């Protein structure tokens, strides 16, 4: 005979993950087995170039590189746009970029126009509507994420080190989006781009069950239910236990008010007798 309360309740939890967030990949150029065939602008005298290379594990990868000269038509703004990336329910996405950047002082022929940064932008769309002329190649309609600077700069004959930057973009509302890279004098190579979103896996904790959850914000409430044969503590008796808030997809310290679901007390005989079963 059951000795616990069979009531099932609903809780609102002010933290999203008890476990580490999982990552779901939306696009990863290192896993592509054929040409990326991204769109380059301007089409006349293009400066971005797709090339084959080897990664740190000697695997063949497709990369893009650019190093404009001071010749006519090579300076100015040069764009590179990905194919449409389906967001698959993500409300925000992360872009991990691996790239190298030449130091301007090591490029005397580019000293007037050289830069050691580039811009990352994105454009949302419900269908694969982009063309060589649409959307217009400018900020608004594109949304600028950030100006990306290199932590390590390459020098001729120096150590070859690549940079890793992770940026967040969103909120995402359309079915998909394009990434765009704008170089205005940078001599660089885009080694890889990994686009992913974070989600909280299904979990059971404190006698409460939570489904897999894709966060819509850095900090968000998640709804769970009592596990079978668990009872809800009355609101007046609820405690404030240590909590983990999912901030940016990672659990961090914090505290929040919730109704814990605790096992009912089982009757026991005194004088050392076992619990009734």
């Amino acid at each position: 005979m059951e000795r616990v309360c069979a009531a099932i309740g609903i809780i609102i939890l002010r933290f999203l993950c008890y476990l580490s967030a999982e990552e779901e990949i939306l696009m990863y150029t290192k896993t592509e087995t054929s040409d990326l065939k991204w769109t380059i602008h301007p089409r006349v005298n293009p400066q971005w170039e797709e090339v084959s290379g080897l990664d740190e594990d000697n695997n063949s990868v497709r990369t893009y590189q650019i190093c404009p000269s001071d010749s006519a038509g090579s300076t100015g703004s040069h764009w590179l746009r990905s194919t449409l990336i389906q967001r698959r329910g993500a409300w925000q996405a992360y872009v991990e970029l691996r790239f190298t950047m030449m130091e301007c002082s090591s490029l005397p022929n580019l000293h007037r126009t050289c830069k050691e940064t580039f811009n990352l932008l994105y454009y949302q769309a419900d269908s694969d509507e982009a063309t060589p002329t649409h959307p217009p190649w400018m900020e608004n309609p594109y949304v600028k994420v950030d100006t990306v600077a290199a932590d390590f700069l390459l020098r001729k004959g120096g150590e070859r080190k690549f940079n890793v930057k992770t940026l967040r973009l969103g909120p995402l509302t359309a079915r998909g989006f394009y990434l765009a890279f704008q170089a205005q004098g940078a001599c660089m190579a885009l080694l890889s781009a990994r686009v992913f979103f974070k989600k909280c896996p299904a979990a059971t904790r404190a006698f409460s069950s939570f489904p897999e959850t894709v966060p819509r914000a850095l900090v968000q409430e998640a709804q769970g239910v009592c596990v079978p044969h668990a009872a809800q503590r009355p609101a007046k008796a609820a405690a404030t236990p240590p909590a983990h808030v999912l901030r940016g997809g990672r659990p961090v310290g914090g505290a929040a008010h919730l109704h814990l679901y605790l096992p009912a007390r089982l009757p026991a005989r005194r004088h050392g007798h076992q619990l009734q079963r």
Side-chain angles (χ1 to χ4, degrees), residues 157-253:
E159 182 182 5
R160 298 189 63 83
K161 297 182 67 174
F162 62 83
N163 301 271
V164 180
K165 297 281 188 177
T166 302
L167 302 100
R168 181 171 57 89
L169 54 90
L172 302 176
T173 55
R175 295 181 62 184
F177 59 95
Y178 302 88
L179 287 183
F181 304 85
Q182 181 190 30
Q184 297 174 299
C187 184
M188 60 172 290
L190 180 61
L191 304 179
S192 69
R194 185 171 72 100
V195 184
F196 60 96
F197 67 94
K198 298 181 180 182
K199 60 184 180 181
C200 179
T204 300
R205 188 71 176 265
F207 304 102
S208 304
S209 177
F210 298 91
E212 179 180 273
T213 304
V214 178
R216 299 191 180 193
L218 293 179
V219 179
Q220 182 187 318
E221 294 180 346
Q223 182 173 306
V225 297
C226 280
V227 299
H229 314 305
Q232 182 177 6
R233 175 185 292 180
K236 293 182 179 179
T240 305
H244 293 287
V245 180
L246 185 71
R247 187 178 299 278
R250 295 183 178 181
V252 297

Side-chain angles (χ1 to χ4, degrees), residues 7-23:
I8 296 178
I10 302 296
I11 58 177
I12 298 298
L13 198 61
R14 283 200 174 276
F15 51 94
L16 205 54
C17 278
Y18 286 99
L19 306 175
S20 297
E22 295 180 350
E23 295 180 356

Side-chain angles (χ1 to χ4, degrees), residues 10-227:
I10 302 296
I11 58 177
I12 298 298
L13 198 61
R14 283 200 174 276
F15 51 94
L16 205 54
C17 278
Y18 286 99
L19 306 175
S20 297
E22 295 180 350
E23 295 180 356
E24 183 165 328
I25 304 297
L26 299 176
M27 183 198 72
Y28 195 12
T29 58
K30 287 183 67 173
T31 62
E32 297 295 328
T33 57
S34 58
D35 293 356
L36 298 176
K37 295 182 179 180
W38 287 3
T39 304
I40 297 173
H41 176 81
R43 302 177 69 183
V44 178
N45 193 20
Q47 296 299 303
W48 285 101
E49 180 184 10
E50 183 175 1
V51 297
S52 293
L54 297 176
D55 63 11
E56 58 271 20
D57 298 319
N58 290 323
N59 297 317
S60 178
V61 293
R62 303 298 295 176
T63 66
Y64 276 94
Q65 63 185 27
I66 183 173
C67 196
S69 64
D70 280 337
S71 60
S74 63
T75 58
S77 183
H78 298 277
W79 291 70
L80 175 68
R81 185 182 64 214
S82 74
T83 54
L84 182 68
I85 303 169
Q86 300 290 342
R87 72 178 178 96
R88 301 209 298 264
W91 294 94
Q92 56 187 358
Y94 296 83
V95 182
E96 180 190 79
L97 303 175
R98 291 175 178 257
F99 64 96
T100 57
M101 182 81 66
M102 289 296 297
E103 187 180 61
C104 285
S105 60
S106 65
L107 303 169
N109 295 332
L110 289 176
H111 68 279
R112 291 183 300 152
T113 58
C114 181
K115 290 186 178 180
E116 296 170 350
T117 61
F118 65 94
N119 295 327
L120 175 66
L121 307 94
Y122 70 100
Y123 175 80
Q124 299 193 63
D126 287 320
S127 62
D128 192 3
E129 63 182 51
T131 69
T133 58
H134 173 80
W137 298 94
M138 63 180 67
E139 186 175 345
N140 190 13
Y142 285 91
V143 177
K144 182 177 177 180
V145 180
D146 203 357
T147 296
V148 183
D151 295 323
F152 305 105
L153 296 172
L154 300 182
R155 301 175 180 84
K156 290 184 178 180
E159 182 182 5
R160 298 189 63 83
K161 297 182 67 174
F162 62 83
N163 301 271
V164 180
K165 297 281 188 177
T166 302
L167 302 100
R168 181 171 57 89
L169 54 90
L172 302 176
T173 55
R175 295 181 62 184
F177 59 95
Y178 302 88
L179 287 183
F181 304 85
Q182 181 190 30
Q184 297 174 299
C187 184
M188 60 172 290
L190 180 61
L191 304 179
S192 69
R194 185 171 72 100
V195 184
F196 60 96
F197 67 94
K198 298 181 180 182
K199 60 184 180 181
C200 179
T204 300
R205 188 71 176 265
F207 304 102
S208 304
S209 177
F210 298 91
E212 179 180 273
T213 304
V214 178
R216 299 191 180 193
L218 293 179
V219 179
Q220 182 187 318
E221 294 180 346
Q223 182 173 306
V225 297
C226 280
V227 299

